[in-house]
Amino acid sequence: MSFSQEVKAELLKHTDTARHCLISSLCAIVNLCGFYEDTDSCVVIASENQSVVELAAELVEKLFGSKPYLTSFENKPAIVLLEADADNVLSSCRLSDREDRAEQPIDPLVVASDCCKRAYLRTAFICCGSVTDPEKTYHLEFVNNDYYHALGLKELVAYFGIEAKIIERKNHYVLYLKEGEQIVDMLNLITAHKALMEYENKRILKEVRNNVNRIVNCETANLNKVVSASVKQREAIEYIKEKVGFSHLSPQLEEVARARLENPDMSLKELGALLNPPVGKSGVNHRLKKICEIAEQLKGEN
């Protein structure tokens, strides 16, 4: 089972008792998976996810007392709501006789309270949402067929302080989040608390691994830099020793040159501690740079 499926399975176990929240949930399903057949005066709710259709049937039964039978529509699980049931659904969801329905599919009265907003978003995620396993990447999205519904979802999410974005992808409008903190907030908002804990645990482990890798990479880069500098310094010292001897160097430069040859793996700080009197890191670095300059001058003369 994918992480998205785990989240949806948890959300399907959530039970609302307030009638207004049940209506909000049913409205989300109708907006995302339903359509009205004018010729037959019926509402069809169809989804590739049978759990969505079963949830719709359960909501209709709780709200209106009738139990829709499961069927299929275009090879997808479906329920067909006829006459009174269709009228009840459209009326309760405030989807009938509304001039602004096309540009405002989510009626403000259906999501008037915070609990109804949460119920709508929770059910919308069950219908069209997905979230990537945080071990791979951070991404949560709602895929909409209608731009205005995506916009309505964006406004609902923004109400709770979460800023989502909309992109168009293959004739669909995708509302998405790509930051770990935002996704955690969204999972909390739609009451996927078990999934939230799993998500946080995976996210923390991932960030710890990333931090460790960054530290290791940084240490490796610094070590490579030290080794490269040491090789360059020893080559310069050996060249001077071979061409003109250490007598060409001042006592201070000769001391640090011999220390470097005898201790090729030491850091500048460690080398400085060997000198008499001890010299700081910057002082050792200055002397070694001077030795390298002398070697370059000798090479230029030859």
Side-chain angles (χ1 to χ4, degrees):
M1 184 181 290
S2 69
F3 188 72
S4 276
Q5 290 171 328
E6 290 179 14
V7 174
K8 292 183 180 184
E10 180 181 356
L11 296 180
L12 284 165
K13 294 177 183 177
H14 184 93
T15 303
D16 283 313
T17 55
R19 183 177 179 83
H20 46 83
C21 289
L22 297 177
I23 290 173
S24 296
S25 292
L26 181 58
C27 185
I29 295 176
V30 173
N31 275 332
L32 287 161
C33 305
F35 62 92
Y36 180 68
E37 279 282 2
D38 206 12
T39 54
D40 298 323
S41 298
C42 68
V43 171
V44 178
I45 296 175
S47 172
E48 293 179 356
N49 184 351
Q50 184 166 327
S51 296
V52 171
V53 178
E54 291 174 352
L55 176 59
E58 180 184 335
L59 290 169
V60 170
E61 184 176 8
K62 286 182 177 179
L63 288 166
F64 312 117
S66 60
K67 189 172 183 178
Y69 64 92
L70 293 177
T71 181
S72 64
F73 181 83
E74 295 182 349
N75 296 320
K76 293 188 290 186
I79 57 172
V80 179
L81 306 174
L82 303 171
E83 300 174 350
D85 285 339
D87 290 340
N88 285 334
V89 168
L90 293 175
S91 176
S92 297
C93 297
R94 299 184 62 82
L95 295 172
S96 59
D97 302 324
R98 275 182 47 206
E99 294 181 359
D100 64 339
R101 179 184 172 187
E103 295 187 4
Q104 193 180 33
I106 307 174
D107 191 286
L109 291 178
V110 174
V111 289
S113 61
D114 286 8
C115 57
C116 291
K117 291 180 176 69
R118 290 174 182 270
Y120 194 100
L121 288 169
R122 183 187 310 117
T123 310
F125 186 87
I126 294 171
C127 293
C128 71
S130 66
V131 57
T132 306
D133 191 315
E135 289 186 351
K136 299 176 182 177
T137 185
Y138 301 141
H139 188 87
L140 182 148
E141 67 180 31
F142 296 81
V143 180
N144 301 262
N145 291 325
D146 176 50
Y147 171 74
Y148 290 105
H149 188 265
L151 199 60
L153 283 181
K154 181 180 180 181
E155 291 172 358
L156 286 183
V157 171
Y159 174 84
F160 293 100
I162 304 173
E163 294 300 320
K165 296 181 180 179
I166 298 175
I167 58 168
E168 187 174 358
R169 183 202 300 156
K170 296 180 181 178
N171 298 321
H172 292 88
Y173 299 94
V174 182
L175 181 77
Y176 70 94
L177 302 170
K178 294 190 76 66
E179 293 183 14
E181 288 289 345
Q182 288 184 320
I183 295 172
V184 167
D185 290 343
M186 176 62 74
L187 292 175
N188 183 54
L189 177 61
I190 60 178
T191 64
H193 296 137
K194 182 180 176 182
L196 186 154
M197 293 302 296
E198 183 181 351
Y199 192 94
E200 276 286 64
N201 288 338
K202 288 184 175 182
R203 189 166 73 99
I204 290 169
L205 286 174
K206 179 181 178 181
E207 291 183 357
V208 168
R209 284 198 301 268
N210 288 342
N211 286 336
V212 169
N213 288 337
R214 278 194 290 270
I215 291 170
V216 169
N217 291 338
C218 183
E219 291 292 337
T220 301
N222 288 337
L223 182 59
N224 289 337
K225 186 176 179 182
V226 168
V227 170
S228 177
S230 176
V231 169
K232 181 179 178 181
Q233 292 157 6
R234 284 184 285 120
E235 287 176 350
I237 293 168
E238 292 285 4
Y239 186 83
I240 293 172
K241 181 180 179 182
E242 179 185 340
K243 292 296 180 181
V244 294
F246 284 152
S247 59
H248 191 74
L249 301 175
S250 68
Q252 293 88 352
L253 295 184
E254 180 181 352
E255 182 184 23
V256 77
R258 293 184 182 279
R260 171 50 85 198
L261 287 180
E262 293 169 4
N263 305 278
D265 298 327
M266 276 192 176
S267 66
L268 297 181
K269 184 178 180 181
E270 291 169 329
L271 278 180
L274 296 177
L275 304 180
N276 186 23
V279 178
K281 178 180 175 181
S282 60
V284 174
N285 184 53
H286 175 76
R287 293 184 186 184
L288 288 171
K289 284 181 68 176
K290 184 64 177 175
I291 289 172
C292 290
E293 289 174 2
I294 292 172
E296 289 299 319
Q297 289 174 358
L298 290 173
K299 290 177 183 178
E301 293 173 2
N302 295 331

